[in-house]
Amino acid sequence: MASAKKPAPATARRAKLEEARRQERARERRSRIITITAAVVVVAGLVAGGGYLMNAADEQDKAETAAKSSPVQGEKSWDKLTQNHVEKKVDYPMNPPVGGDHNPVWMNCDADVYTEAIPKENAVHSLEHGAVWVTYTGKAKPADVKKLGERVSATSYSLMSPVEDQAAPLMLSAWGKQLTVKSATDPRVAQFFTKYVQGPQTPEPGAACTGGVAK
């Protein structure tokens, strides 16, 4: 019986070359599929992430709008406050003062945290420029003082200092506005900052909070 005829060397080489080309095309197809799949995943992630960020920004805007338009529960208000510049001590009707005659030079209020008492007449000038003034006594919990100090340190047009003769351990003041809280985690703290830092009550919005008195 005759044996099977072996393929010629040239035919065998062509077969091997064709097989190599087929495998290379298969690898290229797999590579394209992987690349396209990865790109789709990335784009989908970006779309989803962008949508999340947009929704988060919208929610933040809504929260700020609500905070600014809603009254701060429990706050006290004063109007018709004088704004004369004086070089003497002022006997304010409220403590800490939220307005009235004040020193010609403001207290620096560009996220300034003071660990010692500051002149009230200078601080009132800061309120006139739209600052929020956080004050505390020795009865305040250290954790609350620390948390409020961190908020002030991160907020332009705000300042913080001890006022030992005030009626409560923790108080927040703006021009014509004042709030007493029992804890730094009270949600009204954030609302007070959102509503009154450079808020509509500010007699001189945009006026400087630097270049004044720095204790």
Side-chain angles (χ1 to χ4, degrees), residues 20-103:
R21 289 173 176 170
R22 186 189 67 77
Q23 293 179 359
E24 179 63 25
R25 288 194 294 271
R27 283 194 295 271
E28 290 177 351
R29 283 196 297 274
R30 288 196 297 272
S31 179
R32 285 198 298 271
I33 291 172
I34 292 172
T35 301
I36 292 171
T37 301
V40 169
V41 170
V42 169
V43 170
L46 290 173
V47 170
Y52 171 79
L53 292 174
M54 290 179 64
N55 288 336
D58 287 343
E59 291 301 318
Q60 180 67 21
D61 289 343
K62 290 178 182 177
E64 289 187 1
T65 299
K68 291 178 179 179
S69 60
S70 302
V72 180
Q73 294 297 319
E75 74 175 15
K76 295 180 179 179
S77 298
W78 291 263
D79 55 11
K80 298 180 181 179
L81 297 167
T82 58
Q83 295 175 241
N84 301 310
H85 287 179
V86 296
E87 299 279 359
K88 61 181 181 180
K89 289 286 185 179
V90 179
D91 184 18
Y92 293 105
M94 75 293 289
N95 187 39
V98 299
D101 294 350
H102 49 269
N103 192 276

Side-chain angles (χ1 to χ4, degrees), residues 93-171:
M94 75 293 289
N95 187 39
V98 299
D101 294 350
H102 49 269
N103 192 276
V105 184
W106 55 91
M107 202 76 199
N108 282 346
C109 47
D110 188 24
D112 289 282
V113 176
Y114 302 98
T115 57
E116 297 179 358
I118 60 177
K120 295 175 181 178
E121 292 78 12
N122 299 97
V124 170
H125 197 154
S126 301
L127 303 186
E128 185 183 45
H129 289 189
V132 163
W133 183 18
V134 177
T135 53
Y136 60 95
T137 73
K139 294 182 180 179
K141 295 178 181 178
D144 287 327
V145 174
K146 181 176 182 292
K147 190 172 183 66
L148 289 169
E150 290 171 350
R151 178 179 287 276
V152 170
S153 295
T155 309
S156 295
Y157 285 95
S158 72
L159 69 164
M160 181 175 177
S161 72
V163 176
E164 287 299 338
D165 59 345
Q166 66 184 27
L170 298 172
M171 300 180 74

